[in-house]
């Protein structure tokens, strides 16, 4: 228990990035491959895209989730190519609806969560929960969430394995910031008014409980640390994350 009061929305976000360690099976991605979009494709937009009644549709959710993964893949593919390294995209994105429906290694994935699973090289997330979060928080957070999970796949490809969870997590936040910032600057992603605020409020909400020791196995960092890490990457690109 902790003393701070969080709105249901923010609590939801807190759960979002709470656990994503390990986790192999297949239920199919929202749709389509995560391959690089065609050059003629317009930039992915973080536009809210609300209907007249204010809700965002499942179609919009799927489009944004696919776009988030496609933009991340295109970004990291280019970064690796610039370094003369071969890039292998993650194998798949899996959605699930029940706790334990997907496992990573032998560990069942819980409801209300998202994870990158090194054993199987996939990202999986609870789709019902993610749709709720998408509608409540906004699409920017979906790009952050999938960017953060994709960053864990990048860490595996680069052989980065920190001693403490918090180091691994803050770097993933930073790399998520780098992919989004660079993609905006490069024109493959456009931000709308309010998107940066969505990132800020989302990151403030995913900070660890202040009483949690930084060296705890599940530690991700305080709200301040996570915000700083994300915007460090957003503003200064990947080099800010690898120092
Ligand atoms: Zn993480």
């Amino acid at each position: 228990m902790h003393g701070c009061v969080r709105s249901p929305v923010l609590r939801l976000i807190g759960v979002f990035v709470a656990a994503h360690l390990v986790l192999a099976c297949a239920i199919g991605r929202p749709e389509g491959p995560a391959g690089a979009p065609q050059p003629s494709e317009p930039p992915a937009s973080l536009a809210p895209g609300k209907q007249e009644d204010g809700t965002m549709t499942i179609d919009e959710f799927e489009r944004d989730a696919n776009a988030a993964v496609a933009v991340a893949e295109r970004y990291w593919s280019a970064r690796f190519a610039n370094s003369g390294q071969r890039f292998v995209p993650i194998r798949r994105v899996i959605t699930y609806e029940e706790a334990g429906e997907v496992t990573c290694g032998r560990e069942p994935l819980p409801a209300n969560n998202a994870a990158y699973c090194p054993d199987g090289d996939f990202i999986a997330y609870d789709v019902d929960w993610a749709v709720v979060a998408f509608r409540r928080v906004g699409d920017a957070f979906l790009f952050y969430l999938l960017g953060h999970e994709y960053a864990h796949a990048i860490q595996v490809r680069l052989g980065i394995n920190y001693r403490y969870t918090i180091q691994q997590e803050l770097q993933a936040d930073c790399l998520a910031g780098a992919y989004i910032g660079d993609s905006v600057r490069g024109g493959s992603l456009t931000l709308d008014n309010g998107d940066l605020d969505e990132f800020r409020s989302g990151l403030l909400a995913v900070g660890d409980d202040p009483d949690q020791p930084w060296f705890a196995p599940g530690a991700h960092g305080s709200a301040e640390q996570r915000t700083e890490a994300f915007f460090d990457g957003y503003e200064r690109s990947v080099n800010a994350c690898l120092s």
Side-chain angles (χ1 to χ4, degrees):
M1 286 297 289
H2 51 79
C4 70
V5 176
R6 292 176 175 179
S7 75
V9 172
L10 300 186
R11 189 173 299 128
L12 181 72
I13 305 172
V15 176
F16 227 147
V17 196
H20 36 51
L21 337 142
V22 272
L23 296 247
C25 142
I27 298 156
R29 54 193 313 136
E31 73 173 7
Q38 298 302 308
S40 59
E41 192 168 306
S45 173
L46 294 180
K50 290 181 180 173
Q51 292 179 305
E52 283 181 21
D53 65 358
T55 55
M56 294 186 278
T57 66
I58 296 299
D59 281 352
E60 285 165 339
F61 172 85
E62 291 185 346
R63 193 168 60 231
D64 281 345
N66 287 333
V69 174
V71 171
E73 200 166 284
R74 182 166 51 180
Y75 174 72
W76 290 114
S77 176
R79 295 286 317 194
F80 275 57
N82 286 344
S83 305
Q85 290 178 276
R86 181 168 164 262
F87 176 74
V88 180
I90 62 167
R91 286 200 196 142
R92 64 181 71 212
V93 177
I94 299 170
T95 59
Y96 60 91
E97 296 176 44
E98 308 277 345
E101 191 177 321
V102 180
T103 57
C104 176
R106 292 185 172 183
E107 192 166 339
L109 287 184
N112 304 334
N113 219 320
Y116 166 71
C117 177
D119 179 13
D121 191 29
F122 64 85
I123 288 171
Y125 61 90
D126 178 336
V127 66
D128 295 335
W129 163 77
V131 166
V132 171
F134 171 74
R135 286 179 169 154
R136 288 187 182 170
V137 181
D139 49 4
F141 197 75
L142 193 54
F143 278 75
Y144 161 72
L145 175 77
L146 291 168
H148 175 101
E149 301 304 343
Y150 212 105
H152 284 309
I154 299 302
Q155 290 172 324
V156 166
R157 281 153 175 73
L158 294 175
I160 295 171
N161 195 4
Y162 284 111
R163 179 173 179 185
Y164 295 104
T165 309
I166 191 172
Q167 296 171 292
Q168 205 82 15
E169 294 303 330
L170 288 175
Q171 187 184 61
D173 283 338
C174 185
L175 294 173
Y179 121 80
I180 293 173
D182 285 345
S183 296
V184 168
R185 285 184 286 273
S188 57
L189 196 59
T190 56
L191 290 186
D192 293 291
N193 288 340
D195 282 330
L196 283 178
D197 288 338
E198 282 181 17
F199 288 128
R200 283 184 211 284
S201 55
L203 284 155
L204 279 175
V206 296
D208 288 338
D209 187 316
D211 295 335
Q212 166 148 295
W214 63 269
F215 50 82
H220 282 62
S222 68
E224 291 74 20
Q225 287 173 313
R226 301 200 70 174
T227 304
E228 189 181 328
F230 176 84
F231 282 102
D232 245 13
Y234 185 93
E235 286 156 15
R236 302 198 291 130
S237 189
V238 170
N239 285 344
C241 316
L242 300 178
S243 55

